[in-house]
Amino acid sequence: MAATTTPTIPPPAPAVDAAALRAFLDGEHAEIRDRCRAWLSVPANAPRPGLALEEHRAQVLAWAKDLADAGETARGFPAEYGGQGQVGGAVAGFETLAFGDLSLLVKCGVQFGLFGGAVLHLGTRKHHDRHLADIASLRLPGCFAMTETGHGSNVQQLETTATYDAATGEFVVSTPHDGARKDYIGNAARDGRMAAVFAQLVVGGQSRGVHALLVPLRDADGIVLPGIRIEDCGAKLGLDGVDNGRIWFDDVRVPRDNLLDRYAAVDEDGVYRSAIDSSTKRFFTMLGTLIQGRVSICGASISATKVALAIAVRHAEARRQFGPPGDDGVEEVVLLDYRTHQRRLLPALAKVYALHFAQEELVARLHRVFTADEELDRERRELETLAAGLKAVATWHATATIQECREACGGMGYLQGNRFAALKADTDVFTTFEGDNTVLLQLAAKNLLTDFRDQLGELDPLGTAGFYARQGFEAVAERSAMREVLTRLADDLLPGRDDQADLGRRDVQLELLRWRADHIKSGVARRLKGGIDAGRDPFHVLLDCQDHLLAAARAYVDSVVLEAFAAKLERCEDPGGRLLLDRVCDLYALSTIEADRGWFQEHGRLSSTRSKAVIKAVNSLCGQLRPHAQTLVEAFGVPETALGDAAPIARAST
Ligand SMILES: Cc1cc2nc3c(=O)[nH]c(=O)nc-3n(C[C@H](O)[C@H](O)[C@H](O)COP(=O)(O)OP(=O)(O)OC[C@H]3O[C@@H](n4cnc5c(N)ncnc54)[C@H](O)[C@@H]3O)c2cc1C
C-alpha cells in the first residue's frame, strides 16, 4: 500500500485585497448591499443587546419604519406600489440586514416578505391596489398567520375554517378549538393590524382545502377588533424584538373580496372556481409562490454565520495563550496559530464561502423563475428542491458554527456584549421556521427521486411510495450498481489511482461528491422498491427509509454547493483572488469529504491511504489559509457597528 502523502495543492497568493474579494462576493447586487451596510453603519441602528422586551419591540418597529421610509424594504414589490420589481435585489438586501439585529430582520421578513408576499403572490390586482403600498411603507403592519398550535409542518391539515355565507357575501372565519388557534405569529402580539390567514375554505358546504384570506385584527388605534382574540407568546429563546402571538377567530366576518384569489375565487353566487382542479396541486402551487421567505432565511443564516466567524477570527488573531515551554519572556502564541483553532474555524469559514456562492445561484434562479414571462415548471421544481435543501444545510451550519465560534472565544464569547448570545439565540429558530429542516430535507429528497414532481404532489405518502416503485428506479439502481463496480475497479486496480495527489483536483472532488449523491439516491430507490416488492406496506417502507432520504438530500446539497463554488471561481478575473478562493474551495470540498470519509471507505471510494491523505490535506490547507483568515472575514463587509463596535473582542486586532 502506498504511503500517505499530502495531495498536491499549490499555496494561495501571498496577499489578497479584501476589498476586491468583497466586490467579488457582493456580486451583481453590490450597490444594494452597500446601501444596507450604510444604514447599519449609523450608530443608532446598531444592535442594542440587553434591551427589555417591550423596549426592544418598540425599537425594532421604529427601525423597520425607518428602513421603509428609506425605501429599503419593498424592493421585490412592483414599482407602482413603492418597489422596484427586484426579486434578487430584495433578497440581497435582506441578507445584508442580517449582519445587524436579527429581530429587525425577522420583523421585516414577516411584514414585507411573508405578509406582503402573500398579498402580492396569492392576491390579485384589487388586493395589490388596496394594500401593497401601505404594506411597503409599513402604514399597514400585518401578519402571516399560517401555523396553528396543532399543525405546523403539516399545513395541509390546518383546522381554522373560512365558510362562505352566500346570504351576506361574506366569509366567516372560525377557530373551532384551541388546537386550531394560530400560533407563533410574528407581528400579532403588538403591531399587526391585518393578517393573511390560512384556513380551510368551505363553500356551499364543500371543503375546498387551505386558502388564504385577509382578516383585519386591529383598528387604526391598535385596538383589537371584535371577534378577534390575541395572546402574546411571551418571552422566547431569542428574537425578543419580534412580537409573536396567538390568534383566535370567533366567527369573524370578512367580505368575499378578502379572499386572496389568484388561484381560486368564489363568485357572488357562491360558486367556487379554480384553474387548478386538484386541491393538493393548488395548495402546493400556492405554497410554492411563497418560497422567497425560505430563500431569504437561508441567506440570512449565512450572513449571521459570517458575523460569528468575523468576530472569532479577529479574536483568534489577537488573543494569546501558552507558548513554547521554557521560552520565558517570549510572547505567547496567538490562538489562530494553533492547528486545532484553525481546524475549528477555517473549514467552517470555507463552507460559508461555498454556501454564499450556492445562495447566489439560488437567488439568481429565484429571480429568473419569478420574473419570467412564462411558467418555468422545471426550473420552479429545481428551485424548490435547492431552496429546501440549502436552507436546511445553511441554517444548521449557522447553529453549529456560531456555537463553535462562541467556544473559540472562551469566556469572553459568553458575555452578552460580544454578540454571541444574540447570534445563538436569534438564529436558533431558523432551523424551524420557513420549514422545519428535517421536513424540508424530505421534500428535497422527494423531488430528487422523481422527474414528475407534479404527479408526486398529487399523492399521499402511501401513493408516493407506490409511485417510486413504478417509475423505473430499477433501471437507475442497476446503472448505479454497475458504476460502483467500475469505479471500485478503477480505484483499486488501475495504476496511479491510489496516488493521493489527485485529491487536490477539482474534478476529482466534484466526482466524489456527485457519486455519493447519486449512489445514495439510487440506494433509497432500491430499498423502496425492494420493500414494496416484498409485499410490505408502502407507507412503512417509506418510514423505514426516512434517514436514507435525508442522507440523499444532504449529499445532493453538498454536491451542488461545490458545483456552485467551482462555477463561480471560473468567473473570478482577479488572479490573486482566484488562487486564494481555489484553496478555500479545496478546503470546503476536502473537509466535506473528510466528514464522511467512513462512508467513502465503506463504498470503496477512498482507500484507507487516500482517506488519511484527505485528513492531511485538510490540515495542510488550514495551515495555508491561516495567514489569509482575516482577509477572508474582512471581505464579508460586516459593518463595524455590528462587529468591532458591537463586540469588543472583535476590536483588538484592528
Ligand atoms: C419564533 C417563531 C416565529 C414564527 N413565525 C411564524 C409566523 O409568522 N407565521 C407562521 O405561520 N408561523 C410561524 N412560526 C411557526 C413555524 O413555521 C413552525 O414552528 C414550523 O413550521 C414547525 O412547526 P411546529 O412548530 O408545529 O413543529 P412540528 O411540525 O410539530 O415539528 C416538531 C418536530 O417534529 C419533526 N417532524 C415533523 N414532521 C415530521 C415528519 N414527517 N418526519 C420526521 N420528522 C418530523 C420536525 O423535524 C420537528 O423536529 C414561527 C415559529 C417560531 C418559533
Side-chain angles (χ1 to χ4, degrees):
M1 185 176 285
T4 314
T5 55
T6 308
T8 315
I9 299 176
V16 171
D17 177 25
L21 203 51
R22 174 173 143 184
F24 185 65
L25 280 166
D26 280 356
E28 68 168 310
H29 301 300
E31 195 213 320
I32 291 171
R33 294 185 199 276
D34 278 343
R35 282 176 61 96
C36 192
R37 285 186 180 109
W39 187 88
L40 288 170
S41 296
V42 175
N45 299 335
R48 298 177 59 194
L51 283 180
L53 188 92
E54 286 306 329
E55 218 183 328
H56 196 179
R57 288 176 172 182
Q59 174 65 84
V60 161
L61 182 67
W63 276 332
K65 280 187 172 146
D66 192 53
L67 275 167
D69 289 347
E72 297 296 321
T73 48
R75 259 191 205 91
F77 288 10
E80 57 206 294
Y81 306 113
Q84 293 151 23
Q86 286 189 21
V87 178
V91 180
F94 189 80
E95 287 171 8
T96 314
L97 199 59
F99 288 147
D101 183 304
L102 292 164
S103 287
L104 170 64
L105 175 97
V106 171
K107 185 88 169 177
C108 287
V110 168
Q111 170 69 17
F112 309 106
L114 294 178
F115 176 51
V119 174
L120 177 63
H121 296 299
L122 301 180
T124 48
R125 182 91 205 179
K126 56 182 178 284
H127 305 110
H128 301 169
D129 287 348
R130 257 179 239 154
H131 301 303
L132 276 184
D134 286 345
I135 294 173
S137 64
L138 201 40
R139 282 190 297 274
L140 178 63
C143 308
F144 179 87
M146 181 181 266
T147 304
E148 295 173 0
T149 308
H151 290 96
S153 299
N154 189 3
V155 198
Q156 227 177 334
Q157 298 305 320
L158 294 179
E159 292 175 280
T160 302
T161 52
T163 308
Y164 187 64
D165 179 351
T168 61
E170 294 169 318
F171 286 103
V172 184
V173 183
S174 311
T175 304
H177 56 84
D178 274 355
R181 69 185 181 193
K182 295 294 173 186
D183 214 341
Y184 322 108
I185 308 305
N187 238 353
R190 182 182 185 273
D191 299 321
R193 299 226 322 265
M194 182 178 270
V197 176
F198 290 78
Q200 300 288 349
L201 198 75
V202 182
V203 184
Q206 194 178 346
S207 182
R208 296 293 186 167
V210 174
H211 292 63
L213 67 170
L214 295 174
V215 182
L217 299 178
R218 292 184 173 87
D219 66 16
D221 298 322
I223 309 295
V224 175
L225 294 170
I228 307 281
R229 282 181 287 145
I230 298 181
E231 190 178 85
D232 197 321
C233 286
K236 305 184 290 288
L237 189 71
L239 296 176
D240 274 348
V242 184
D243 52 324
N244 293 90
R246 306 185 176 109
I247 315 173
W248 290 257
F249 303 98
D250 298 331
D251 296 342
V252 176
R253 288 181 169 268
V254 296
R256 183 175 56 90
D257 264 2
N258 281 28
L259 179 70
L260 295 173
D261 57 354
R262 174 166 170 199
Y263 293 102
V266 176
D267 70 18
E268 275 175 59
D269 305 324
V271 178
Y272 175 91
R273 287 202 176 81
S274 171
I276 307 172
D277 288 338
S278 151
S279 63
T280 302
K281 185 169 179 197
R282 190 183 316 118
F283 173 72
F284 283 110
T285 304
M286 288 189 203
L287 282 195
T289 64
L290 306 174
I291 199 169
Q292 188 173 328
R294 188 168 294 160
V295 173
S296 300
I297 278 299
C298 181
S301 74
I302 295 168
S303 298
T305 317
K306 289 174 182 172
V307 176
L309 282 164
I311 297 171
V313 165
R314 280 192 183 185
H315 181 66
E317 286 280 19
R319 172 81 170 167
R320 293 175 183 274
Q321 286 294 290
F322 299 101
D327 269 353
D328 288 348
V330 175
E331 264 196 317
E332 292 173 277
V333 172
V334 290
L335 292 180
L336 203 51
D337 283 342
Y338 289 107
R339 178 53 46 86
T340 50
H341 222 74
Q342 295 164 10
R343 274 282 196 166
R344 292 163 74 184
L345 298 181
L346 300 186
L349 178 56
K351 185 162 177 172
V352 153
Y353 267 79
L355 290 170
H356 173 100
F357 294 125
Q359 168 75 4
E360 189 178 79
E361 168 67 26
L362 177 67
V363 173
R365 288 190 196 189
L366 177 83
H367 187 87
R368 255 197 317 276
V369 167
F370 277 80
T371 54
D373 291 332
E374 80 258 57
E375 272 299 315
L376 304 171
D377 287 342
R378 189 178 174 79
E379 281 215 41
R380 198 175 272 273
R381 187 174 70 243
E382 287 170 1
L383 170 70
E384 183 181 298
T385 310
L386 183 57
L390 199 62
K391 184 270 185 184
V393 168
T395 55
W396 270 327
H397 185 59
T399 301
T401 304
I402 292 168
Q403 174 65 22
E404 193 65 60
C405 289
R406 201 295 294 156
E407 291 178 30
C409 293
M412 292 190 217
Y414 196 67
L415 301 181
Q416 199 177 56
N418 280 320
R419 286 216 72 185
F420 287 112
L423 282 170
K424 267 165 60 98
D426 294 344
T427 56
D428 185 289
V429 75
F430 288 15
T431 59
T432 298
F433 63 25
E434 284 301 339
D436 169 84
N437 282 359
T438 301
V439 175
L440 284 183
L441 285 186
Q442 290 178 68
L443 169 72
K446 176 181 156 188
N447 280 4
L448 287 175
L449 279 168
T450 178
D451 283 330
F452 304 104
R453 168 71 181 83
D454 287 347
Q455 203 173 336
L456 259 188
E458 301 283 320
L459 302 174
D460 56 13
L462 197 122
T464 303
F467 175 85
Y468 291 146
R470 291 194 302 274
Q471 293 299 324
F473 279 110
E474 200 163 17
V476 177
E478 279 167 5
R479 265 207 315 277
S480 166
M482 180 55 74
R483 189 175 320 153
E484 185 176 338
V485 171
L486 290 174
T487 320
R488 280 191 198 196
L489 274 174
D491 253 7
D492 294 345
L493 302 179
L494 298 181
R497 281 297 285 180
D498 209 30
D499 175 7
Q500 299 91 39
D502 68 349
L503 289 168
R505 275 179 29 205
R506 186 79 63 241
D507 58 335
V508 172
Q509 298 162 358
L510 277 165
E511 203 274 333
L512 277 170
L513 291 190
R514 282 178 183 145
W515 189 88
R516 182 181 58 155
D518 195 27
H519 181 90
I520 298 178
K521 184 174 64 178
S522 48
V524 185
R526 261 202 308 270
R527 279 184 66 194
L528 287 168
K529 183 177 186 317
I532 293 161
D533 283 353
R536 294 192 54 220
D537 165 34
F539 181 71
H540 287 101
V541 174
L542 195 69
L543 288 193
D544 283 350
C545 294
Q546 251 188 336
D547 58 331
H548 211 158
L549 282 166
L550 258 61
R554 277 175 179 267
Y556 152 78
V557 175
D558 286 346
S559 74
V560 294
V561 168
L562 182 59
E563 280 168 4
F565 200 158
K568 179 75 182 184
L569 279 176
E570 295 303 318
R571 302 195 291 277
C572 183
E573 286 164 6
D574 167 36
R578 165 78 196 250
L579 218 51
L580 176 59
L581 289 180
D582 257 327
R583 299 296 76 78
V584 176
C585 190
D586 286 332
L587 182 55
Y588 167 67
L590 292 173
S591 57
T592 303
I593 292 164
E594 183 191 37
D596 211 10
R597 63 183 201 282
W599 188 94
F600 284 106
Q601 275 195 267
E602 276 172 11
H603 292 80
R605 289 314 316 259
L606 285 182
S607 64
S608 57
T609 317
R610 269 160 74 80
S611 176
K612 287 179 201 158
V614 172
I615 304 172
K616 283 182 93 171
V618 171
N619 277 331
S620 161
L621 281 161
C622 283
Q624 287 191 24
L625 287 172
R626 185 260 170 271
H628 302 274
Q630 184 135 6
T631 305
L632 287 167
V633 295
E634 296 311 321
F636 294 148
V638 181
E640 229 23 65
T641 42
L643 194 55
D645 299 347
I649 48 170
R651 218 179 277 160
S653 68
T654 56

